[in-house]
Amino acid sequence: MALKKKPVTGMKDILPAEMAIRDYVIRLIKETYATFGFSSMETPCVEHIENLCSKQGGENEKLIFKILKRGEKLKIHEARTENDLVDGGLRYDLTVPLSRYYANHANELPSPFKALQMGNVWRADRPQRGRFRQFMQCDIDILGEPTILAEIELILATTTLLGKLDFKNFTIRINDRRILKAMAAYSGFAPETFDTVFIILDKMDKIGMDGVAQELAKEGFAQESIDRYLSMFREVTEGIEGVRYLRDRLDGVLDAQYADDLEMIMKSVDAVKNADFKIAFDPTLVRGMSYYTGPIFEISMDEFGGSVGGGGRYDEMIGKFTGNDTSACGFSIGFERIVMLLLERGYQVPGTAGKTALLIEKGMPADKLLVVLNEADKLRSAGTQVTIAVMKKNKKFQKEQLTEEGYETFQEFFIDKM
Amino acid sequence: MALKKKPVTGMKDILPAEMAIRDYVIRLIKETYATFGFSSMETPCVEHIENLCSKQGGENEKLIFKILKRGEKLKIHEARTENDLVDGGLRYDLTVPLSRYYANHANELPSPFKALQMGNVWRADRPQRGRFRQFMQCDIDILGEPTILAEIELILATTTLLGKLDFKNFTIRINDRRILKAMAAYSGFAPETFDTVFIILDKMDKIGMDGVAQELAKEGFAQESIDRYLSMFREVTEGIEGVRYLRDRLDGVLDAQYADDLEMIMKSVDAVKNADFKIAFDPTLVRGMSYYTGPIFEISMDEFGGSVGGGGRYDEMIGKFTGNDTSACGFSIGFERIVMLLLERGYQVPGTAGKTALLIEKGMPADKLLVVLNEADKLRSAGTQVTIAVMKKNKKFQKEQLTEEGYETFQEFFIDKM
């Protein structure tokens, strides 16, 4: 009756060394976000299949792990399609469940509601190095706060956390969906082509200004629009002057308030920040999800060639689900990427110094074992991590093993010497 | 595109008040068990369907949430049975995954391996009050330690944790599967009838000595066996004298070492314990799972009419899976029951005093908002939980709401007075 030893395809067992880091990061997240007034909440890992297939999830809806109906509801021989067989699925993100949760409990929740959600999500992606089919997501969201106080608090909370994990020199790139659209409109692109334009713009950091120009031309856009569009990206800078430049240039197309709000977010974060990072205006920042309605942001780290988190305002999504308009803004950190970076860096979890192993001779009688147990109890009560182990024949090897586990101090107890 | 608002049948959304307690208990568990030398580990929530249906799970195997195959592997029209349609399932306990994990990673793990596993499990039980289809389990296991050091450490770790959560006056009931069997053998019951005898014995606390006698008689057991069996239960006591009484009476049927070991476990726990509880010998303790091979134990609390945790030694299980004999002993606490008891008790999570709300007038200009953000930053850096909220028209109601969320201190900021 041998078991299949490997985990299921694309999912992983987590060994103690990685778990120690994960546990520490989870604890720091809960602690830090609590000081910013966020409350933990949780939804079941299983969602109604109808909710998961509501078209809010984009491509992720193709990657759902679906759960078979049970008992009399399962009619295998009458089933024509997959959906005849299933009634639930594993959640692929935390946003759909948050919307359902808010719709279900709005009366019991404060307004604004500052939510912290950590939990696994599942996507049946093609397995590839470093990407898994079960992974932890970590979202903070503020529901019911229409002002930029939400954006400021979300960015400060997230960057304070990263600072506590010793991340330095990272960049919060920020833009606004409405500036993105105003730039396209001002250049003469038709609204129904915006998505195509943005998909190309999104490649700016990879293919550069000329590459973007070529791809836009290849799509058949007017050269005049392309030139006008790119001239702005040539002139804009990443500081607040960049925001001001666009506010003036887009006069009549962009409500100046949106630019002023963005400036105020950048200024406030810069003035209060607790970590060594910069906040930079990036008019090429697109972020894929079409549900964003206002400011959008992303964390870039040089040591990791991509985003380690992002978010933005999505004022129209919750209302679609609940029937009541609810302003909303969220920031999600890439938990798995952060853990991976800490592991690569050989990160040492603080406060685990002094781990002590008490080695006892085999066959210790009750009275002498009590001496050892009392010694362990004394150390543990003071917070030290203590293990008691029976001495092995190869004590040298045993100690080497324990050292690998982080044990630094050894005490040996021999029956005759007690 | 309205969502189904309720969670799926039998699973629950967790509101902030309960989450605060859960988060605290999780943290205390990780911290406390770490001082006893346990390492966190984790397995995916999804397991191979073959592993889940390996007959180790007993009745739980009927309650599996099964996961549909994906892509070309799913052949709906050729499927005859459920198992043609699925390749995975949600785990129904943490023991099967632990066995797989240990088989997969034994070379990378220390010996003995002291494992702490916390995670959700799923069972498609009939929904009923207080029982959910997704619930958290919390297991500690020591793999590779054949001596009673394992039992002692497991019981001390668990009771230390319960003490830190202010549980008092509880009882650790302890027995040994081999004593259970020796008592039945000594009374003349045939080994193949032991399971029937134990199922009846298990009802002792509900139906009493006479009830047990009647039910045994109804099953057709010899009156002489019944009398001999029950005479021991009448004479035995819950202290170590009880263990000694059985050691002597069962001479020749029971290896005296097993009784001596049990006595030593009880003595050691009693001498070193960190909480207000008693450890009592209970020869009627059966515990359902047939895989136990040695000492077994359970936590009883008067305020909860049942077990809030239990465990025991299962030296033969891991070997069945891995092919290598591995002694093993585990203790599982009823996480959900403990959280329920704390909630009912109105438990206050320590260290959340001083929560502060900064209320700001609507339309605060950038420079004055900075003053508020800096004040918040100062308080947060000192560990205080701070939220910033825009004043509402009904400020009295707003403050009442915040008070309900645990905010104790309020500061108000008006534009003209700054």
Side-chain angles (χ1 to χ4, degrees):
Chain A
M1 190 183 33
L3 289 187
K4 284 191 169 189
K5 290 189 183 186
K6 299 276 168 210
V8 297
T9 312
M11 302 191 195
K12 68 167 177 175
D13 289 332
I14 305 176
L15 290 168
E18 179 178 341
M19 267 315 282
I21 290 186
R22 295 176 78 93
D23 280 349
Y24 176 70
V25 175
I26 289 169
R27 181 177 157 167
L28 203 64
I29 288 172
K30 299 244 174 194
E31 239 175 58
T32 305
Y33 288 164
T35 67
F36 281 83
F38 289 90
S39 302
S40 281
M41 52 149 288
E42 217 173 86
T43 66
C45 301
V46 181
E47 267 295 333
H48 300 287
I49 195 73
E50 298 88 343
N51 291 0
L52 294 175
C53 297
S54 65
K55 302 272 186 294
Q56 287 296 313
E59 289 297 298
N60 291 332
E61 296 193 1
K62 296 179 187 155
L63 307 175
I64 301 171
F65 284 97
K66 296 181 179 173
I67 292 174
L68 205 64
K69 289 178 181 172
R70 293 153 306 285
E72 291 173 3
K73 288 185 185 157
L74 178 65
K75 301 192 172 77
I76 296 180
H77 301 293
E78 297 171 23
R80 293 271 159 268
T81 67
E82 273 186 34
N83 283 354
D84 296 332
L85 291 166
V86 302
D87 57 0
L90 296 176
R91 61 185 178 202
Y92 51 75
D93 74 4
L94 300 179
T95 307
V96 170
L98 174 67
S99 304
R100 188 192 53 66
Y101 180 96
Y102 195 72
N104 194 22
H105 301 287
N107 293 337
E108 306 157 76
L109 296 170
S111 172
F113 178 46
K114 298 168 84 171
L116 162 60
Q117 264 193 105
M118 303 194 72
N120 284 315
V121 303
W122 291 263
R123 296 179 191 167
D125 252 321
R126 190 169 307 160
Q128 47 185 305
R129 218 182 69 86
R131 283 187 70 172
F132 292 94
R133 289 178 159 192
Q134 171 180 315
F135 57 98
M136 176 87 94
Q137 279 203 335
C138 173
D139 290 8
I140 41 177
D141 292 272
I142 304 183
L143 307 184
E145 176 54 67
T147 79
I148 56 166
L149 184 58
E151 282 83 350
I152 295 171
E153 289 276 82
L154 288 166
I155 297 171
L156 285 175
T158 304
T159 52
T160 298
L161 171 73
L162 293 173
K164 286 188 184 174
L165 287 168
D166 293 339
F167 285 104
K168 291 186 180 71
N169 294 320
F170 57 93
T171 303
I172 301 288
R173 296 188 298 132
I174 190 166
N175 194 10
D176 189 304
R177 269 270 168 180
R178 294 161 302 190
I179 294 177
L180 200 66
K181 286 183 184 169
M183 288 176 82
Y186 170 84
S187 308
F189 296 110
E192 63 274 16
T193 66
F194 283 1
D195 280 344
T196 313
V197 174
F198 297 159
I199 288 170
I200 296 169
L201 177 67
D202 205 20
K203 302 181 191 170
M204 183 77 87
D205 59 335
K206 292 206 182 72
I207 61 176
M209 201 78 79
D210 293 346
V212 170
Q214 279 167 26
E215 290 210 12
L216 286 172
K218 218 161 71 186
E219 284 289 332
F221 290 112
Q223 195 56 45
E224 197 192 332
S225 291
I226 300 173
D227 290 344
R228 200 173 192 197
Y229 195 46
L230 293 182
S231 73
M232 289 184 283
F233 290 101
R234 282 202 185 85
E235 286 172 37
V236 78
T237 56
E238 66 170 33
I240 53 174
E241 328 76 45
V243 180
R244 287 180 187 165
Y245 161 80
L246 285 180
R247 182 190 56 192
D248 297 343
R249 179 137 181 205
L250 298 172
D251 185 34
V253 185
L254 176 72
D255 185 334
Q257 184 64 46
Y258 302 152
D260 290 343
D261 278 355
L262 195 60
E263 184 179 328
M264 190 156 156
I265 296 170
M266 292 174 69
K267 266 190 184 162
S268 303
V269 168
D270 215 43
V272 187
K273 69 184 183 184
N274 270 309
D276 181 9
F277 72 94
K278 71 174 177 195
I279 182 159
F281 174 52
D282 181 356
T284 73
L285 180 66
V286 173
R287 288 193 65 72
M289 304 307 278
S290 58
Y291 54 65
Y292 288 118
T293 57
I296 47 179
F297 27 83
E298 216 166 86
I299 312 166
S300 294
M301 279 186 199
D302 286 344
E303 53 185 310
F304 183 83
S307 159
V308 294
R313 182 168 282 278
Y314 55 102
D315 280 346
E316 287 163 14
M317 182 176 175
I318 305 268
K320 269 188 199 152
F321 287 139
T322 64
N324 296 313
D325 277 350
T326 306
S327 51
C329 194
F331 205 147
S332 176
I333 52 164
F335 179 87
E336 301 290 347
R337 287 173 192 178
I338 285 169
V339 168
M340 200 192 70
L341 288 171
L342 293 173
L343 267 171
E344 285 175 5
R345 221 202 258 173
Y347 187 77
Q348 286 297 317
V349 172
T352 48
K355 283 176 78 171
T356 300
L358 308 185
L359 300 179
I360 61 175
E361 201 178 345
K362 210 173 164 177
M364 193 149 277
D367 56 333
K368 295 189 174 174
L369 183 61
L370 269 188
V371 175
V372 180
L373 288 167
N374 275 315
E375 173 66 17
D377 182 51
K378 207 178 67 190
L379 291 164
R380 286 165 176 164
S381 300
T384 308
Q385 297 188 17
V386 178
T387 198
I388 307 175
V390 180
M391 275 177 213
K392 293 185 183 170
K393 279 181 192 154
N394 189 342
K395 199 166 63 183
K396 184 161 169 285
F397 179 69
Q398 185 179 19
K399 284 186 174 179
E400 282 168 9
Q401 271 208 324
L402 285 164
T403 304
E404 259 180 53
E405 282 185 76
Y407 288 94
E408 296 174 345
T409 309
F410 298 94
Q411 288 185 43
E412 299 183 8
F413 296 86
F414 297 94
I415 299 168
D416 287 345
K417 297 185 189 160
M418 293 177 71
Chain B
M1 189 182 35
L3 289 187
K4 284 191 168 188
K5 291 189 181 186
K6 299 275 168 214
V8 297
T9 310
M11 303 192 194
K12 69 168 177 174
D13 290 330
I14 305 176
L15 290 168
E18 178 176 342
M19 268 314 283
I21 290 186
R22 296 175 79 93
D23 280 348
Y24 176 70
V25 174
I26 290 170
R27 182 177 156 167
L28 202 65
I29 287 171
K30 299 243 173 195
E31 240 176 58
T32 305
Y33 288 164
T35 67
F36 281 82
F38 289 90
S39 302
S40 281
M41 51 149 291
E42 217 173 86
T43 67
C45 301
V46 181
E47 267 296 334
H48 300 287
I49 196 72
E50 298 87 344
N51 291 359
L52 294 176
C53 298
S54 65
K55 303 271 186 296
Q56 286 296 310
E59 290 298 298
N60 291 332
E61 295 194 2
K62 297 179 188 156
L63 307 175
I64 300 172
F65 284 96
K66 296 181 179 174
I67 291 174
L68 205 65
K69 290 179 181 171
R70 292 151 308 283
E72 291 172 1
K73 289 185 184 158
L74 177 65
K75 299 193 173 76
I76 296 180
H77 303 292
E78 297 172 22
R80 292 271 158 271
T81 67
E82 272 185 33
N83 282 354
D84 296 332
L85 291 167
V86 302
D87 56 2
L90 295 176
R91 60 186 179 201
Y92 52 74
D93 75 2
L94 299 179
T95 306
V96 170
L98 174 67
S99 304
R100 186 193 52 67
Y101 180 97
Y102 195 72
N104 194 23
H105 300 286
N107 293 338
E108 305 157 77
L109 296 171
S111 173
F113 177 45
K114 298 168 85 171
L116 162 60
Q117 265 194 106
M118 302 193 72
N120 284 314
V121 304
W122 291 263
R123 295 179 193 168
D125 250 322
R126 190 168 308 161
Q128 47 186 303
R129 219 183 68 86
R131 283 187 70 172
F132 292 95
R133 290 178 158 191
Q134 171 180 315
F135 58 97
M136 175 86 95
Q137 279 202 337
C138 173
D139 289 8
I140 42 178
D141 292 272
I142 303 182
L143 307 184
E145 175 55 66
T147 78
I148 55 164
L149 184 58
E151 281 83 350
I152 295 171
E153 289 277 80
L154 288 167
I155 297 171
L156 285 176
T158 303
T159 53
T160 299
L161 172 74
L162 293 174
K164 286 189 184 175
L165 286 168
D166 293 340
F167 285 105
K168 291 186 179 72
N169 295 319
F170 57 92
T171 303
I172 301 288
R173 296 188 298 133
I174 190 166
N175 193 11
D176 189 303
R177 270 270 169 182
R178 294 162 301 192
I179 295 179
L180 200 66
K181 286 183 183 168
M183 287 175 81
Y186 171 84
S187 308
F189 296 109
E192 62 275 17
T193 67
F194 283 1
D195 281 344
T196 312
V197 174
F198 296 158
I199 288 170
I200 296 169
L201 177 67
D202 204 19
K203 302 180 191 169
M204 182 77 88
D205 58 336
K206 291 205 184 74
I207 62 177
M209 201 78 79
D210 293 346
V212 170
Q214 279 167 25
E215 290 208 13
L216 287 172
K218 217 160 69 184
E219 283 289 333
F221 290 112
Q223 195 55 46
E224 196 193 333
S225 291
I226 299 174
D227 291 343
R228 200 172 192 196
Y229 196 45
L230 293 182
S231 74
M232 287 184 283
F233 291 101
R234 282 199 187 87
E235 285 170 39
V236 78
T237 56
E238 65 170 34
I240 53 174
E241 327 75 49
V243 180
R244 288 180 186 165
Y245 161 80
L246 285 179
R247 184 192 52 194
D248 297 342
R249 180 138 180 204
L250 298 172
D251 185 34
V253 185
L254 175 72
D255 185 334
Q257 184 64 46
Y258 303 151
D260 290 343
D261 277 355
L262 196 59
E263 183 178 330
M264 189 157 158
I265 296 171
M266 292 174 70
K267 265 191 185 162
S268 304
V269 168
D270 214 44
V272 188
K273 69 183 181 186
N274 269 309
D276 180 10
F277 72 95
K278 70 175 179 198
I279 183 159
F281 174 53
D282 180 357
T284 73
L285 180 67
V286 174
R287 288 194 65 73
M289 304 307 279
S290 58
Y291 53 66
Y292 288 117
T293 57
I296 47 179
F297 26 83
E298 214 166 87
I299 313 166
S300 294
M301 279 187 198
D302 286 343
E303 53 185 309
F304 183 83
S307 159
V308 295
R313 182 168 283 278
Y314 55 102
D315 280 346
E316 287 163 15
M317 182 176 178
I318 304 269
K320 270 188 198 154
F321 287 136
T322 64
N324 295 314
D325 277 351
T326 306
S327 51
C329 195
F331 205 146
S332 177
I333 52 163
F335 180 87
E336 302 288 347
R337 287 173 192 178
I338 285 169
V339 167
M340 200 192 70
L341 288 171
L342 293 174
L343 266 172
E344 285 174 4
R345 218 202 260 174
Y347 187 76
Q348 287 297 317
V349 172
T352 48
K355 282 176 78 171
T356 299
L358 308 184
L359 300 179
I360 61 175
E361 203 180 343
K362 210 174 165 177
M364 193 149 277
D367 56 333
K368 295 187 173 175
L369 182 61
L370 271 188
V371 175
V372 180
L373 288 168
N374 275 315
E375 174 65 19
D377 182 50
K378 208 177 67 189
L379 291 164
R380 285 165 176 164
S381 300
T384 309
Q385 298 189 17
V386 178
T387 198
I388 308 176
V390 180
M391 276 178 212
K392 292 186 184 168
K393 279 181 191 153
N394 190 341
K395 200 166 63 184
K396 185 162 169 284
F397 178 69
Q398 185 179 17
K399 283 187 177 178
E400 282 168 12
Q401 271 208 324
L402 286 163
T403 304
E404 259 180 52
E405 280 184 76
Y407 288 94
E408 295 173 347
T409 308
F410 297 93
Q411 288 185 42
E412 299 183 9
F413 295 86
F414 297 94
I415 298 168
D416 286 346
K417 296 186 190 159
M418 292 178 72

